[in-house]
Amino acid sequence: MKKKVLGLLVGIVMVVSMIGCGGGDTAESKETSGTEAVESKDDAETDSAESAGDGELKKAEDIVVCFSNKGQNAWLEQQSIGVKEACKDLGLPDPTVVYADSQENAESQVQAIEDFMSLDADVIIIDPISSDVVKQALQNAKDEGVVVIDVDSVGGLNDVTNCSIGLDEYTASYEGAEKFCQDYLEKGDGVIIIAGNQGDTNGENRLKGMTEACEANGMEVLGTQYTDWTAAKTTAAMEDFITSKGDDIKGVLVPSDDMGLGAITALEQAGMIDNVKIMGYGGFQVALDAIAEGKMSMTVGMHPYDCGYQAVENAVNILTKGEEPKEHFIDVGTDLITTENYKDFKGF
């Protein structure tokens, strides 16, 4: 049985936010960011049932869902919305959602997991900054009977999670880069590949997929630079590459559409935007706009809302029916959004 919290948790402050759901009644959820404090459940509250991990099933209305999101941007927020709307649709209480204050602060997610345990969480969903950093905290939660599901993070937490929901980042990146090379570049062209955070599982898989696809399709990789998932650092990195490589640059591949905007800024300032093709990643509205304006050639469209929604669906099946997913990894898939089909998609 998970321990009851006795007082005020130091570290996160809960605020209530309303998320609109298709024009009807809105669903409330408790969100936190950075160093905030949450008030505990009333000690007089009774447990309706043990968790499925303790051998008994639960009712949907008694399931406590907590989500640790690794940051805040349009893409990550879609995951949170998916979690919230799934809880509403399936009759669960409003989830607790905590945002890491920085994607460079993996330790903040360890604190979030510990706080979730004090809230008697039945389900912990996490998009991890670093699988290695949070692994033991998640194992501790699972040992207490908590259902643990990771989203948008393939492979690093398989032995401590009930399932993993996301996409095969390597394959999606490879297929996207392959199409980019074949449709927008010529064999022998020089390309720059921008990367996210060094050591980040998703970022490394995207970098590997892009690099290997470019090399397999006869491109010359002129340089690679980690820019910590930020547009500003991507702009700075591209300015350096423009200085050193100049007109040899024919293509730029980035692992996030936000970072694509950073590359566009540098190329526009250098007067090179019309001569360099750019591939983004994510499916942000800003990428679709850039494709429409002729500043970006394509992006790999992802489905973050489905990651969050399906995480809750699978947790409910485990806790109310005792049904574990048939496969540990659940792939939500991607779309290749190009100059030919971008009008068929809606970004976020």
Side-chain angles (χ1 to χ4, degrees), residues 277-321:
K277 306 299 183 181
I278 300 175
M279 175 187 134
Y281 200 103
F284 287 44
Q285 186 59 48
V286 293
L288 272 62
D289 292 342
I291 292 173
E293 295 168 1
K295 297 178 180 180
M296 185 179 287
S297 298
M298 63 171 287
T299 185
V300 177
M302 303 170 71
H303 304 289
Y305 176 92
D306 293 342
C307 290
Y309 199 101
Q310 291 186 30
V312 176
E313 283 185 319
N314 280 276
V316 169
N317 286 338
I318 293 168
L319 290 170
T320 65
K321 302 176 184 178

Side-chain angles (χ1 to χ4, degrees), residues 104-293:
E104 297 176 1
N105 184 11
E107 290 293 341
S108 67
Q109 289 191 296
V110 175
Q111 182 63 55
I113 294 165
E114 293 173 353
D115 292 341
F116 292 161
M117 294 301 295
S118 295
L119 293 173
D120 280 352
D122 298 300
V123 180
I124 293 178
I125 302 168
I126 185 167
D127 184 348
I129 296 171
S130 168
S131 297
D132 290 340
V133 171
V134 300
K135 193 169 189 177
Q136 185 58 55
L138 291 175
Q139 181 65 65
N140 295 341
K142 191 174 184 182
D143 290 344
E144 290 290 323
V146 176
V147 171
V148 178
I149 298 175
D150 68 316
V151 294
D152 190 34
S153 177
V154 179
L157 294 171
N158 283 353
D159 53 346
V160 298
T161 55
N162 293 79
C163 65
S164 176
I165 300 177
L167 67 148
D168 184 338
E169 298 280 4
Y170 170 81
T171 300
S173 298
Y174 189 101
E175 291 177 350
E178 182 174 58
K179 184 171 183 62
F180 179 64
C181 293
Q182 293 176 356
D183 289 6
Y184 299 101
L185 300 173
E186 297 181 1
K187 187 171 291 188
D189 280 350
V191 298
I192 299 296
I193 303 177
I194 302 298
N197 283 0
Q198 190 166 11
D200 174 84
T201 302
N202 286 344
E204 296 293 358
N205 282 331
R206 293 180 196 180
L207 173 60
K208 182 179 180 182
M210 291 176 181
T211 301
E212 293 184 359
C214 286
E215 292 174 345
N217 283 273
M219 304 300 127
E220 180 184 0
V221 179
L222 300 174
T224 299
Q225 179 65 50
Y226 291 96
T227 62
D228 300 331
W229 301 106
T230 67
K233 290 185 179 181
T234 299
T235 299
M238 281 305 305
E239 289 172 345
D240 290 341
F241 281 128
I242 289 168
T243 299
S244 62
K245 304 298 181 181
D247 292 337
D248 289 339
I249 302 172
K250 303 301 181 184
V252 178
L253 300 89
V254 298
S256 165
D257 289 335
D258 282 343
M259 297 162 71
L261 296 185
I264 288 171
T265 297
L267 291 167
E268 285 183 323
Q269 291 174 349
M272 296 174 61
I273 192 65
D274 293 333
N275 301 316
V276 178
K277 306 299 183 181
I278 300 175
M279 175 187 134
Y281 200 103
F284 287 44
Q285 186 59 48
V286 293
L288 272 62
D289 292 342
I291 292 173
E293 295 168 1

Side-chain angles (χ1 to χ4, degrees), residues 67-84 97 99-100 103 127-129 151-152 202 206 229 258 284 304-305 307-308 348:
F67 177 35
S68 173
N69 203 331
K70 66 181 177 184
Q72 288 183 287
N73 61 32
W75 195 96
L76 293 171
E77 184 58 25
Q78 285 295 310
Q79 288 190 145
S80 296
I81 292 173
V83 169
K84 295 167 188 174
V97 179
Y99 296 89
Q103 290 194 42
D127 184 348
I129 296 171
V151 294
D152 190 34
N202 286 344
R206 293 180 196 180
W229 301 106
D258 282 343
F284 287 44
Y305 176 92
C307 290
F348 42 81

